Amino acid sequence: MKAVSSTLASGNVAEIDAALTNIRMAGKEGGKGATAPLAARLKNGLPKELLKKALETIGELEDPAAAESCEAYLAHRDPEVRLAAVRCLGGAKGPAATKALRVALADLDVRVHGLAATLLGEAKAAEAVPELVVALDKGVNEAAVSIGQLCEGKAGSDKSCDALTERLKSKPLDVIASGLQQVLTRKDVPDDYKKNIIKVVRELSSAKAREVLESVKKGYPKDGSKAVLDALDKAIKDLEGAK
Amino acid sequence: MTGRSFVLGLLVGSLGLAGLACAGASSDLVAVDGPAFSQEAINDDANQKAQVSVLDRLQKQPAAPGADAVVAVTGTAELTGLDLASGKTWSYKHPLDHRPQLTGTVVVGTGNGELFVLDAKTGAEKWKSSKAKGKLVGAGSDGKYVAVTLKADSGHKLVVFGPDGSVKMEKATDQPLTSPGISAGLVLVPWKNLYVSAFEIETGAQLATFITDTETTHVVTWGGAVFAGQGRLVRFDKDLLKAKQGGSQLAAPPKELPNVSRRDLLVGPDHDERTTADAIDSTGLTGRPLTSGPAGFESGKIYGGYYPFVFGMDAKTAKLSWVHTGKDDFVAIHAGKDGVVGVDKAGTVKLLAAGNGALVKSFPLGKPALSADILADTLAIGSGSSAPLPEQIKEATTLKDDRLSTAQVWFLDTAAAVPDEATTEVLLQVADSERAAPAIKEASRKAIALRTNGAAAMITLLGRHANFLKGTRTPPVGPMAKALAVMKEKKAVQPLIEQLLDPTLPQIDLQDTAESVAVLAEKEHLPQLQRFMNMYRGSATGNIRLVDSIAAIAAAIIRIDDKGRDFVVAVTKDAFTDADVKLTLEKLLAASAPKKDDKKDDGKDDGKDDKKKKKKVTDDDPTPPGYKKKKAEEGKKKDEKKEEKKEEKKD
């Protein structure tokens, strides 16, 4: 890693580019010691393409210590750089990265806030559900899946999965279904809550609703609750012939 | 047929038809011989004596009070009237081929080949006549007589009707006659846009002809006095005889009138042929001339209209006093003694106070108005409370309507001239408004950049950043930054840096923000300034504003930090710094390099800072001490290596 450090500190584009490739190839384990020299390099600035590559590389190290370096570039005027910074945060993980992803969710660029919404779900940032709901209402469809992954399977909280069912009629069904599918396949959500979701979808009485439920059934875990599966089957049967 | 013989022919013909004789005038008046509407005898002694006698008569017998009323065209064959004193409306149905006119206490209209006269207060029909042949040009009345000027194929005519609609007097000419007025038993008829001839109605006697020395298409009677003109209004008093020498009492709008409303107080009569209002009606100018003393306007105000706006201006300077923003375009405005009356397209009649534009009263006509005529001769509008001018300007300038930008920019210019904090806040709100048109925002941004107060409001606004989830936008940072830098407002540095480091800061604001940060930043801000430079130095080529912003921040770094120059030198030399940035920084370094003879040119020598002085005089190297030390060390190492190599060779 000593060699990597000195290469990264150099002013040679080709050498730095090669060093970044090597770090990526070394992967999470092999590139462990590269976080600090990469962070130092990022702090001193780089040309755009190299900067994006450096951000993605440091992200791939999955080192929470990289979050600060990633976050700094959420302030870059170029949305492509910010997008790379969000990917970087998604890789870095950890509380600091999650916090920064929540900041990125408010970015004006559609690609940046869309990716942040997705990565918040992957980061299991349950505290971000209320913001994801706001994002969903503002047309960030990616937020639906994340809400489905993170929401609470009970009513009456600002993190409740009810946020999805409540939007079944105001948002495109495909979008909300992508989130509900997550809820229905989660093991931590009570069966009764899932059955209620199935009931709400069935009440839409449309072919589209049946397609959604069939899709859920298709991806339903083999070790999933039989009661939920039965409810799915019944709802699908009820919706046969629905237009 | 010559012009004169044509006139005579018409005159004889008309006299014969009407059976009226040009009898001698009443004893206090002087009759003048010769053809009517002729300038031949203007300089004759008889005309001059007649002029004096007419002016004496007008002074002794002030014009009868006119109505306080509105008449609007509310359909193709429908008029709706309003008595401004009681608020009562009336309607009258009759085909219309000309916009009806309010004069004296009556409404005069034409249509379907007949002239009709209504009581302005009640709409009651007084009489109709089919004896007014030709196209109506203008009408005047004192409530008793009605005079109309008409245009026919054979020439122009003046016809004066009595209270019962009978023809009292008729004159024909080939000269263009415009809108007459009646006062003291005399009819005063403007002709050829410059002269006014007076006739005694009862006797038909031709009296004096006057030169107004201003474009004259109307004779009007307001507040008991008689005025003539169009763009400007000259009063019929003894000073009128000095009109040619510039001695008349001529009420004129100020020269500084903004290029917003029309320039003339009255509109040429041919405009009234259209029964539907147009842009000329919606961009009116009105003022009520003083009835005595030096020429001027009542309440010291004139009033302009501009679609949904009515505004009061100082009658001498045209400085904006107030602006009223309505919901609908105004189709007519008319000045009263202490305010202005306006009618909008929706058919709402508004009475606005002269002093502050307060909406004192409003009356509904009950129907949309296609056009309107207003007369407010004795009406006292009164006063009321209204928002202060900056607030009125804010309301007016945040109305998004492309037609309004000329007026809105003028309003903003007016606001910009008011140096108080409240106005600064209004300018901020306009520049920040989503509703304001781009041109208006730009005008307010320019004004903000020149403000020297309102720092607290600016700093508060700077705290707002664009946020997708919150739905917030970036405020007008650039102009605020410029103003705050001039104010040397240190509290603004951090919020400005935060905006500078916000990717949503618009490109247009970037350089102003960077330059202002450069002026205000102190040592504690150094890390943020360095961060900005590092973030963009490698990706700024082609973005001139960004390059110049980096240079501004670099200058600040040099200014506030002893080692700042080293930092900038290092950035300049770094291989990853863009070519454009390098070039700009090199120029900056060259321009900011300590000069050998900095102090030599300075004639002052107070004996202080001797050490510094000595250092500067002796130090002719532009590189800072830290950098020099580093270079010296590098040189020393090179020398050592050379020595080593030499020794190796020797070996």
Side-chain angles (χ1 to χ4, degrees):
Chain A
M1 270 315 132
K2 220 173 183 180
V4 169
S5 297
S6 60
T7 309
L8 288 174
S10 80
N12 189 308
V13 176
E15 283 180 17
I16 291 180
D17 192 45
L20 291 174
T21 305
N22 289 338
I23 295 167
R24 287 177 109 163
M25 284 171 72
K28 185 182 161 186
E29 290 305 316
K32 240 176 188 176
T35 304
L38 267 172
R41 181 65 259 182
L42 283 166
K43 194 178 177 189
N44 284 331
L46 282 168
K48 184 179 166 184
E49 291 309 316
L50 219 45
L51 178 59
K52 282 160 59 183
K53 191 168 178 178
L55 283 167
E56 280 159 18
T57 304
I58 198 172
E60 285 172 17
L61 298 177
E62 294 186 24
D63 184 352
E68 193 187 342
S69 302
C70 309
E71 187 187 0
Y73 281 94
L74 287 181
H76 200 279
R77 298 178 69 79
D78 189 327
E80 285 185 21
V81 173
R82 299 205 298 279
L83 198 62
V86 172
R87 281 196 201 100
C88 178
L89 288 166
K93 297 188 173 62
T98 303
K99 199 176 165 192
L101 282 173
R102 288 171 73 181
V103 172
L105 190 61
D107 194 290
L108 297 190
D109 188 86
V110 64
R111 292 167 299 168
V112 175
H113 61 232
L115 182 61
T118 301
L119 294 176
L120 279 167
E122 289 178 13
K124 298 186 172 37
E127 68 274 23
V129 169
E131 289 147 75
L132 285 164
V133 172
V134 175
L136 179 64
D137 285 341
K138 287 180 171 283
V140 184
N141 294 343
E142 296 91 329
V145 172
S146 296
I147 294 168
Q149 291 168 338
L150 305 170
C151 61
E152 292 176 354
K154 61 178 184 186
S157 115
D158 63 346
K159 293 172 193 156
S160 169
C161 298
D162 287 0
L164 290 171
T165 49
E166 282 163 3
R167 284 160 179 78
L168 267 171
K169 284 178 183 168
S170 59
K171 293 274 167 195
L173 183 56
D174 287 351
V175 173
I176 300 301
S178 66
L180 292 175
Q181 199 155 2
Q182 298 292 328
V183 181
L184 292 170
T185 53
R186 272 167 55 189
K187 287 186 177 166
D188 61 322
V189 176
D191 283 359
D192 285 348
Y193 192 85
K194 288 180 183 171
K195 284 196 277 185
N196 190 51
I197 289 176
I198 293 164
K199 186 180 156 220
V200 173
V201 175
R202 193 197 64 199
E203 282 170 359
L204 294 174
S205 302
S206 65
K208 195 85 190 162
R210 195 188 72 235
E211 276 174 35
V212 167
L213 295 173
E214 281 172 343
S215 170
V216 172
K217 191 187 166 189
K218 212 173 174 182
Y220 196 73
K222 284 177 184 169
D223 58 346
S225 160
K226 192 172 176 307
V228 174
L229 195 61
D230 289 346
L232 267 174
D233 284 334
K234 188 177 180 302
I236 290 166
K237 202 177 171 189
D238 288 349
L239 290 174
E240 266 174 23
K243 289 178 183 175
Chain B
M1 190 186 275
T2 63
R4 192 175 172 192
S5 57
F6 170 77
V7 173
L8 286 169
L10 279 172
L11 186 61
V12 170
S14 65
L15 290 176
L17 275 171
L20 298 167
C22 184
S26 297
S27 59
D28 62 328
L29 298 168
V30 175
V32 175
D33 292 332
F37 308 114
S38 165
Q39 59 215 67
E40 282 179 14
I42 281 176
N43 294 320
D44 291 356
D45 285 348
N47 188 54
Q48 286 170 18
K49 281 178 189 166
Q51 285 176 337
V52 173
S53 68
V54 166
L55 294 172
D56 276 350
R57 165 78 78 95
L58 291 174
Q59 193 183 0
K60 283 174 187 162
Q61 297 179 36
D68 296 320
V70 169
V71 62
V73 177
T74 51
T76 50
E78 183 188 65
L79 300 181
T80 300
L82 173 84
D83 174 19
L84 285 167
S86 66
K88 286 184 180 169
T89 58
W90 52 262
S91 75
Y92 179 78
K93 293 192 189 307
H94 194 284
L96 299 167
D97 57 18
H98 191 281
R99 203 177 288 192
Q101 294 179 23
L102 259 170
T103 173
T105 57
V106 299
V107 174
V108 179
T110 57
N112 211 21
E114 64 180 2
L115 185 81
F116 59 86
V117 175
L118 314 175
D119 183 294
K121 207 176 168 77
T122 63
E125 188 180 286
K126 285 182 164 254
W127 50 264
K128 284 186 198 174
S129 172
S130 56
K131 288 179 181 166
K133 301 287 185 196
K135 199 188 248 182
L136 181 69
V137 177
S141 174
D142 60 352
K144 181 180 176 187
Y145 300 110
V146 172
V148 293
T149 48
L150 303 156
K151 192 179 174 185
D153 293 341
S154 55
H156 297 261
K157 275 200 291 187
L158 164 72
V159 184
V160 183
F161 295 89
D164 57 354
S166 61
V167 174
K168 297 291 291 183
M169 199 184 109
E170 194 169 348
K171 302 276 181 193
T173 175
D174 61 349
Q175 299 287 2
L177 306 179
T178 47
S179 195
I182 294 179
S183 182
L186 311 179
V187 56
L188 298 122
V189 189
W191 55 280
K192 218 178 172 183
N193 288 357
L194 186 62
Y195 305 100
V196 174
S197 288
F199 302 89
E200 188 177 30
I201 296 171
E202 281 301 324
T203 62
Q206 177 176 238
L207 307 171
T209 293
F210 296 87
I211 299 175
T212 60
D213 210 43
T214 186
E215 183 182 20
T216 299
T217 56
H218 293 262
V219 171
V220 291
T221 56
W222 290 334
V226 177
F227 301 93
Q230 179 174 299
R232 309 178 292 173
L233 292 169
V234 65
R235 192 164 65 217
F236 267 67
D237 60 15
K238 60 180 178 6
D239 290 334
L240 180 64
L241 301 175
K242 295 182 276 184
K244 272 192 128 177
Q245 294 77 42
S248 65
Q249 298 307 329
L250 183 68
K255 286 175 187 165
E256 297 81 6
L257 208 61
N259 192 21
V260 173
S261 53
R262 67 171 191 244
R263 320 291 293 178
D264 287 357
L265 290 164
L266 298 170
V267 181
D270 53 345
H271 173 259
D272 289 346
E273 288 173 15
R274 292 178 287 273
T275 54
T276 304
D278 57 17
I280 290 174
D281 299 294
S282 292
T283 58
L285 179 72
T286 181
R288 163 100 161 196
L290 292 169
T291 55
S292 60
F297 292 92
E298 295 278 4
S299 302
K301 292 281 190 296
I302 54 169
Y303 311 93
Y306 202 78
Y307 303 102
F309 305 136
V310 175
F311 44 90
M313 295 174 277
D314 183 276
K316 286 180 181 162
T317 63
K319 192 180 163 194
L320 182 71
S321 302
W322 52 263
V323 53
H324 168 86
T325 302
K327 282 182 185 167
D328 297 281
D329 288 0
F330 283 88
V331 294
I333 56 169
H334 176 79
K337 285 187 291 186
D338 59 347
V340 61
V341 181
V343 180
D344 68 23
K345 271 185 177 173
T348 306
V349 179
K350 293 179 174 179
L351 277 57
L352 306 170
N356 57 4
L359 179 60
V360 179
K361 272 182 192 168
S362 75
F363 301 107
L365 287 173
K367 286 181 177 180
L370 301 176
S371 66
D373 195 15
I374 308 165
L375 184 57
D377 199 19
T378 63
L379 183 75
I381 289 173
S383 59
S385 59
S386 69
L389 180 60
E391 282 299 318
Q392 293 178 344
I393 289 177
K394 186 181 91 181
E395 188 184 0
T397 51
T398 51
L399 201 62
K400 203 166 191 172
D401 184 337
D402 289 342
R403 298 174 306 161
L404 309 180
S405 54
T406 306
Q408 288 172 321
V409 168
W410 175 58
F411 295 153
L412 277 174
D413 287 347
T414 301
V418 181
D420 64 5
E421 295 216 5
T423 305
T424 304
E425 287 186 32
V426 166
L427 290 169
L428 290 171
Q429 287 164 19
V430 174
D432 192 38
S433 167
E434 282 183 287
R435 286 180 298 158
I440 307 313
K441 282 190 171 192
E442 189 48 39
S444 55
R445 284 170 63 91
K446 279 182 187 165
I448 289 166
L450 299 171
R451 302 304 283 181
T452 53
N453 57 33
M458 290 184 193
I459 291 169
T460 303
L461 199 53
L462 282 172
R464 197 188 73 206
H465 289 250
N467 185 300
F468 171 69
L469 294 181
K470 290 179 186 166
T472 52
R473 294 167 291 107
T474 306
V477 179
M480 287 195 286
K482 281 176 106 168
L484 289 161
V486 171
M487 287 187 252
K488 296 191 178 4
E489 184 53 66
K490 293 286 180 188
K491 285 179 192 163
V493 191
Q494 191 53 36
L496 282 173
I497 290 177
E498 283 165 15
Q499 289 288 356
L500 185 66
L501 288 168
D502 187 327
T504 59
L505 180 70
Q507 188 79 348
I508 192 174
D509 289 333
L510 181 64
Q511 196 176 336
D512 287 340
T513 308
E515 285 172 358
S516 300
V517 165
V519 169
L520 296 170
E522 291 177 338
K523 199 154 190 174
E524 67 199 80
H525 306 111
L526 193 62
Q528 292 165 289
L529 304 188
Q530 289 177 337
R531 184 183 163 205
F532 179 81
M533 273 194 79
N534 279 334
M535 194 183 291
Y536 296 114
R537 69 184 172 90
S539 52
T541 288
N543 185 340
I544 296 168
R545 281 193 176 125
L546 186 54
V547 170
D548 288 344
S549 300
I550 292 169
I553 295 301
I557 291 171
I558 293 171
R559 176 179 63 79
I560 62 180
D561 184 31
D562 293 340
K563 293 176 183 170
R565 194 173 177 84
D566 292 350
F567 176 81
V568 176
V569 168
V571 168
T572 308
K573 293 192 169 181
D574 191 282
F576 291 130
T577 300
D578 278 347
D580 287 356
V581 178
K582 270 190 184 190
L583 198 67
T584 311
L585 292 181
E586 277 164 7
K587 282 181 190 167
L588 171 75
L589 287 166
S592 64
K595 284 177 188 164
K596 184 182 171 183
D597 51 357
D598 261 2
K599 292 280 171 178
K600 278 184 186 170
D601 293 341
D602 186 357
K604 292 174 191 172
D605 188 353
D606 54 8
K608 291 175 186 174
D609 301 321
D610 277 349
K611 284 180 187 173
K612 278 187 187 173
K613 220 187 280 177
K614 276 175 192 168
K615 199 175 176 184
K616 286 209 168 181
V617 170
T618 53
D619 187 358
D620 58 355
D621 188 339
T623 49
Y627 188 72
K628 272 176 76 182
K629 195 179 169 186
K630 199 178 166 189
K631 292 289 275 183
E633 281 172 3
E634 282 173 6
K636 204 178 170 185
K637 280 180 187 171
K638 278 181 185 174
D639 289 346
E640 282 171 5
K641 279 183 181 175
K642 276 181 188 173
E643 289 296 326
E644 280 170 15
K645 279 180 183 174
K646 276 180 189 174
E647 281 180 17
E648 278 171 13
K649 277 182 182 176
K650 277 180 189 174
D651 293 341

